[in-house]
Amino acid sequence: MLSELGGYSTGAPTKGTFVNDNSKGSETNPTTADHLFDDAAVLTTSARQEVNDNALATPTPGGARWVWDPAVTSAPLSRIERQLLGRPTARYAALGAVPATFLAADQTGLNTPSFGKVLGSIAHIAGHLFAQQPLLVSAIVVAGLGAGYLKLKEDTLLGGIGIGGRETDGFATARKIRKRVSRRAVVKQRGTLRPSLADVPARQVDTSEVAVRLGKDRKTHIDVWSPIEDSTAVIAPMGAGKTGLIGNFVVDAPGSVLATSTKVDIVRLTAPLRARLGGRIWTFNPQDLGDGKFSSTLLWDPVIGCRDPKVALRRAKYLLDGSDITSGLENRDFWNSQSFKVLKSFLWAADMKGLTLLDVARWAKKPLETPATAIFEEFADVAPLGWADDLQQTQAPAQKDSRSKTTTLDNVFLTLSTTFECLSLPEIAQSIVDAHREDVPQFDVESFITSGSDTVYILGEDTGTGGIGPLFTTLTGEIYEAARRRAPAQPGERNDPPLTIVLDEAALICPVPLERWTADSRGLGITVHCAFQSRGQIRDRWGRNGADTIWDNCTALILGGLKNDDHLESLSKLTGQKRVREETGSKGPGPNGTTATTSWRMVKEPTMSVSDIMGLEPGQVLVIRRHIGVLVAKYEMVWARKDIKQLDKADKKAARAALKARKRKTVAAPNPADLWDAPPAMPQASPWGPASAAPAATAWEQAPAAFEEPWAPPAPAASHSPWTVDPAASGWAASGGFPGPRDHLRVVPGEVVDLQPQPAPVPEKPAFEPTVHLEKIPQPPAPVEEKQDDDVQDAIPPRRTRNLGAF
């Protein structure tokens, strides 16, 4: 390869005479290199020899000639400095020219001078220039440092601007994960998240006390944690592993937990371990899911406690929030305002008279009747100011001779009647009635929150219009509001340990105001985890604005299996972009025909395509969180956890041991009732009693076995059960540990059956002895065979005889 160089004249050495040699001949004057940097005089012989020794030998087509390449020369580096410092026109390009030359040489892979020499030369030049132009040099240095920082941060030259860079996958880097959601990052926040752990050394803090584990990052294999102050929104269709994920949230929660679900799996999988940790288990299952296996241990009526006006206001609001009639409306508060005035008055009046929610539901279906107004008149001295007026104003169109339209009244009572439609189910209505029993303890919300280990499971299924939502929403809201009121009085103004609320199928059975909860729960020590089947389900329940607020406030956890194109496309955009290397080619004429050239370019693509998100495997979750971008974590299903397996194994072992113990106890000491079920067979004796002497055995029969006297006194008739009579009177001590004679009884579990209530009549014993002369018949003699001739005996067949005895 020939080099085309500009330099000084190759003729007689004339100082300062510069020529530009643009000839393109086959030979190049080798002495051009000798005068390249000689500004004062021709290079000395030793310097020329040094240049030639360090030159690159490049054969030319005309013969072997030597051409000097400045990119591989290290000895003249000092002369480059002198020339740049001595030429004012080249000073300002010095810092860029020399590094660019060596960077270009580095791209060609040639043997370049050491980086230390280049850096030292640049620093020497910068020092001279700084003395003359300090501001300009400072600006150049700052720009260079900024470019280097962008290169290290974005892995591209100048932060990806222009040409250059390398391939990236678009996922969160290990540096971001360690800084935001690693164990070290969340434990470092323990003073804020858990004020009680502020003085505890970091190495002694269990990570689950300050965060919930989301899984292990698929790219970096770092454990990913969600701090307890962050709310999460799980989007997963049916069968995607949603229960396996949120079950971990229930088990790992550091404080009290409230969990809702449409299936009993969440109780079966998590309740044993929660109970083993020392907490009490409460179940609110008014629809009796599981066929009695998980019956309600928590009975609750929203009316109880509403004589306090603040409680009545709060519960009336949550009852209307859970109603289906205003779901999805942007102005649902306006539609609920008139119904709210009536409902709060109904709740207060019902509690003042000791009534139930069933009475409130009955009032809501009869707008023309005013029983609540009569109660307000009865308790006018303690009634909240203005509540009776609100009730009368709403029901004024129903009064006699009223000229007002009843449109508002109809809308109000239509909303109320729909809200209480869930009470039409007999099971739910019975749970409301049972909550007022005197022997049923009331659920204490305050003690539940302060326990730090109790768990409440709310189970129910969606029944369409008039679902269970109002009842569940009110109970969940009551617990949330109690925790919200408690937080400001605690150290750090938050609940410690925090309250965890896990809402599975929240849009169907527990539509609490998540747009408000997710906004203010962060600083109150309340962690909210909600799960939905799709993002459209959130929009249908809380409206478009409410759905956007929930989505923005929560860390998004996406499971595989979604099929909505618009939703998947929006998720793909949220994952960001990655840079990939794309191969390009071109064809053109060549010396021997058409030639093809191949080149590469960097293009941008979505980090995760629509098919990538839809095809996430079970056990993988796409995490979209602020400050870290996007990552995919691998989580462990709750039923595959080691602690759950160990607990299940221990329970099975204990059950087997208990079964063996019962079997051993049964064999060692049989149950008397079991023995009485099959009494021993008694010998059948003659009613005449035994003979004076046993007859001698004959050839046809054995001697009769001796038998006992069957004339035992019957069991006392005062009680059919021998266990309830006096032991002495029933013959307990004389019967060997069993009460009384048993030959006339057959005992079954639970009752005593009297098979022979009266003994059979016994005939009187005759005065004479029964004859036994037939039993003393002598043995008959053996028959005598007659002798016959041999011929006659052979002709007559042998005769068979039978021993007929006396007959």
Side-chain angles (χ1 to χ4, degrees), residues 53 81 111 160 188 210 266 271 290 329 396 422 430 435 440 502 527 549 606 648:
D53 292 341
E81 299 178 17
N111 185 18
K188 188 182 297 184
V210 293
I266 191 71
L329 297 179
C422 61
Q430 185 62 40
V440 175
V502 181
T527 307
T549 303
D648 187 48

Side-chain angles (χ1 to χ4, degrees), residues 110-168:
L110 300 176
N111 185 18
T112 61
S114 64
F115 178 76
K117 294 182 179 180
V118 176
L119 186 61
S121 300
I122 294 175
H124 184 62
I125 296 172
H128 286 278
L129 293 178
F130 182 77
Q132 300 178 5
Q133 299 290 340
L135 296 179
L136 179 62
V137 174
S138 299
I140 294 175
V141 171
V142 171
L145 293 177
Y149 172 76
L150 292 176
K151 177 176 175 58
L152 294 176
K153 182 178 180 181
E154 302 294 339
D155 295 328
T156 58
L157 184 61
L158 298 180
I161 301 177
I163 302 175
R166 62 183 183 183
E167 292 183 326
T168 58

